[in-house]
Amino acid sequence: MAYLNERRSAPILEAPGPGRAQIQEIVTCACSVPDHRRLVPWRVIAVEDGSRELLGELWARHLAESVNEAASLMRNVRRAPVILVCVFSPKQQVKVPRDEQLITAGLASYTILMAANALGFGGYWRTGRAAYNRPLAEELGLEEHESIAGYLYLGTVAEPLTLRPRPTVDKLPLDFAFQASALECN
């Protein structure tokens, strides 16, 4: 329970990041998420080493409105030694609605972060304009029906993480008021 309660995003990451075998192990853990009919409506594009610069160039080309913003986008890809692009890849399936598949892709992304943490790495999940730009998605090789669920930055935590305030149990959206008697028919 402590492991789950103490999970934190780690925005300042440095090398080393997970190697290829570790990335495979991390992504394999995502296969354990609830997935109705085992559709695996997600996939991952691993961006490491020099590929980060190529990703930065794509971001700059599609998102930058100024030279300064292009330079900032190029710096963003250097924030972690590994970036995993989590792709929502829904399948045509009558019995599993698209929304349910999107939840599975989100759970897979979260599980990837937790698996990286379990191996001793930090990480954080980003979306923003880079996740919602269609021409950028196409250059990354996404098909028309696919979209970016998020960019997961992974690496070694560079600074100690602080515990952010969390709601106490009395402030949680948890309701025990529902009663079986409410379902009884007259």
Side-chain angles (χ1 to χ4, degrees):
M1 294 302 287
Y3 174 73
L4 294 172
N5 280 316
E6 294 172 7
R7 190 215 68 81
R8 302 287 178 269
S9 293
I12 302 174
L13 301 166
E14 60 190 12
R20 287 194 172 185
Q22 290 170 313
I23 292 170
Q24 289 173 334
E25 183 178 8
I26 288 166
V27 173
T28 298
C29 287
C31 295
S32 69
V33 303
D35 182 6
H36 190 185
R37 301 188 72 82
R38 296 179 301 279
L39 298 177
V40 191
W42 56 272
R43 63 187 180 92
V44 175
I45 302 168
V47 182
E48 55 189 349
D49 304 323
S51 297
R52 290 181 303 153
E53 298 300 316
L54 295 173
L55 179 61
E57 290 171 13
L58 285 176
W59 285 355
R61 184 166 56 247
H62 290 284
L63 306 172
E65 296 177 7
S66 69
V67 173
N68 287 342
E69 189 176 14
S72 176
L73 291 165
M74 291 300 293
R75 282 191 302 276
N76 286 347
V77 298
R78 296 183 197 111
R79 288 182 174 177
V82 173
I83 301 172
L84 300 182
V85 184
C86 292
V87 177
F88 172 44
S89 184
K91 308 300 189 270
Q92 288 288 58
Q93 173 50 253
V94 174
K95 294 184 178 185
V96 185
R98 180 182 170 88
D99 288 351
E100 188 175 326
Q101 294 183 54
L102 179 60
I103 292 167
T104 296
L107 290 170
S109 299
Y110 180 71
T111 299
I112 287 169
L113 283 177
M114 294 302 287
N117 287 166
L119 288 178
F121 297 102
Y124 63 96
W125 183 343
R126 293 273 191 228
T127 54
R129 293 181 307 145
Y132 307 117
N133 184 287
R134 192 69 223 161
L136 171 60
E138 289 169 3
E139 278 209 63
L140 283 171
L142 274 66
E143 296 180 24
E144 187 176 321
H145 71 286
E146 295 179 318
S147 58
I148 295 172
Y151 294 89
L152 304 181
Y153 291 67
L154 304 177
T156 299
V157 177
E159 295 180 4
L161 300 176
T162 58
L163 299 177
R164 67 177 171 86
R166 302 262 169 115
T168 57
V169 71
D170 61 314
K171 303 284 189 223
L172 293 176
L174 173 62
D175 187 355
F176 288 107
F178 186 77
Q179 301 293 322
S181 60
L183 298 176
E184 293 177 7
C185 298
N186 291 332

